Amino acid sequence: MFSYEFMRNAFAAGTIIAIICGIMGVFVIARNMSFLTHTLSEIGFSGAAFGVFAGWAPLNGMLLFTVVSSVIVGQLSARSERREAATSAISALFIGLGILFLSLANKNASYATSILFGSVIGISAGDVQQMLWLSLLVLLVIFVIYRFLKFDSFDHTGARVKGLWTNALSITFLVLLALSVSVAAQIVGSLLIFILLTLPAATAKYFAHTVGGMMVLAIALALVGVWAGLTLSYVTNYPVSFFIAAIEAIFYFIALGWQKLQTAE
């Protein structure tokens, strides 16, 4: 399996993605942004389609659209009562734009499928390097704002009372989330990226009781899902995104069962 360069690249990219998604996912769950993550993934599809239309690499189109739109979404959804309406409207708009750009680019259905659901074969050494640099940027910013972001994510009211710059933190986090979506979509696709950004962290919260513990467990669960998914995809020739989604969902249902047993005692 590792004699093929594309599989080595896929495992390297998958490892990077799992680490980023494990860390970011903890904050996504704490800030109740699962639906917003799904919206950014759809925006990522539109950006990748625009990149193809403009003759760019799909990742560059994703980065442009997700980063710009994350700031717009952050402003529109600053008030919780209009958050769902704003994200739904933006989601619908960008799905339509994505279909339009693919149509204008005269790409076939298989190309659209690779954008939507990921492609292991299409990952090059250059893509891995670009993912690595983007991931290091995300990790660096998280390291710098970690204390403030943790406070705001797990005690938003307390953060506002303390005078913390919550709006700036929210937009910064959305930009980091946009970068994470663009990075991770290379393997699981733009429509399934919310799986890795939500399920490992959602599972981890049932077993870990500290933020650091949740991050470590979420990274471990994401790594198992990605590595096992890539291996099974290679062996069976079925889509890697299916296996990753199935494995992470199984982990989550096990966690729910465990929680139910604990509360029943």
Side-chain angles (χ1 to χ4, degrees):
M1 179 170 64
F2 290 106
S3 61
Y4 295 102
E5 184 183 3
F6 74 91
M7 287 304 297
R8 294 196 298 271
N9 292 336
F11 269 86
T15 301
I16 295 169
I17 288 167
I19 293 170
I20 286 295
C21 288
I23 293 172
M24 291 294 294
V26 170
F27 294 111
V28 168
I29 295 299
R31 299 174 78 89
N32 295 316
M33 284 187 171
S34 298
F35 183 52
L36 197 54
T37 301
H38 182 60
T39 299
L40 281 176
S41 70
E42 291 165 347
I43 292 171
F45 160 66
S46 179
F50 175 77
V52 172
F53 168 68
W56 302 351
L59 178 57
N60 293 335
M62 274 190 180
L63 287 170
L64 173 65
F65 272 49
T66 55
V67 170
V68 171
S69 62
S70 66
V71 178
I72 298 173
V73 169
Q75 294 292 339
L76 289 177
S77 61
R79 297 177 61 181
S80 58
E81 62 266 22
R82 66 185 182 193
R83 181 174 297 154
E84 288 194 10
T87 51
S88 295
I90 291 171
S91 174
L93 171 63
F94 277 93
I95 286 179
L97 286 173
I99 295 170
L100 173 64
F101 289 137
L102 279 180
S103 176
L104 293 174
N106 295 318
K107 293 296 181 181
N108 56 29
S110 63
Y111 200 91
T113 301
S114 68
I115 293 176
L116 290 170
F117 302 108
S119 174
V120 175
I121 299 175
I123 299 174
S124 65
D127 292 331
V128 174
Q129 190 174 30
Q130 189 174 15
M131 289 183 206
L132 178 61
W133 285 114
L134 287 172
S135 300
L136 288 174
L137 174 62
V138 171
L139 291 175
L140 177 62
V141 177
I142 287 289
F143 176 78
V144 171
I145 66 171
Y146 177 76
R147 280 183 52 217
F148 307 108
L149 184 61
K150 183 173 72 169
F151 188 17
D152 184 45
S153 298
F154 289 89
D155 186 9
H156 181 65
T157 302
R160 293 186 66 182
V161 170
K162 287 285 187 180
L164 204 62
W165 18 281
T166 55
N167 286 340
L169 271 175
S170 179
I171 292 176
T172 301
F173 178 75
L174 282 173
V175 171
L176 294 176
L177 186 59
L179 293 175
S180 303
V181 165
S182 298
V183 167
Q186 303 304 298
I187 282 189
V188 293
S190 60
L191 289 189
L192 295 179
I193 182 53
F194 64 95
I195 292 168
L196 284 177
L197 278 167
T198 55
L199 286 186
T203 302
K205 74 177 183 180
Y206 289 109
F207 299 104
H209 303 292
T210 64
V211 177
M214 285 177 62
M215 285 183 178
V216 170
L217 185 53
I219 290 171
L221 292 170
L223 282 172
V224 171
V226 170
W227 288 345
L230 286 169
T231 302
L232 290 170
S233 176
Y234 174 80
V235 172
T236 64
N237 205 30
Y238 289 132
V240 64
S241 52
F242 160 72
F243 290 112
I244 293 175
I247 292 167
E248 298 300 343
I250 289 170
F251 286 153
Y252 181 68
F253 289 129
I254 290 173
L256 287 180
W258 171 260
Q259 178 69 11
K260 190 173 182 179
L261 286 174
Q262 292 294 103
T263 54
E265 292 178 357

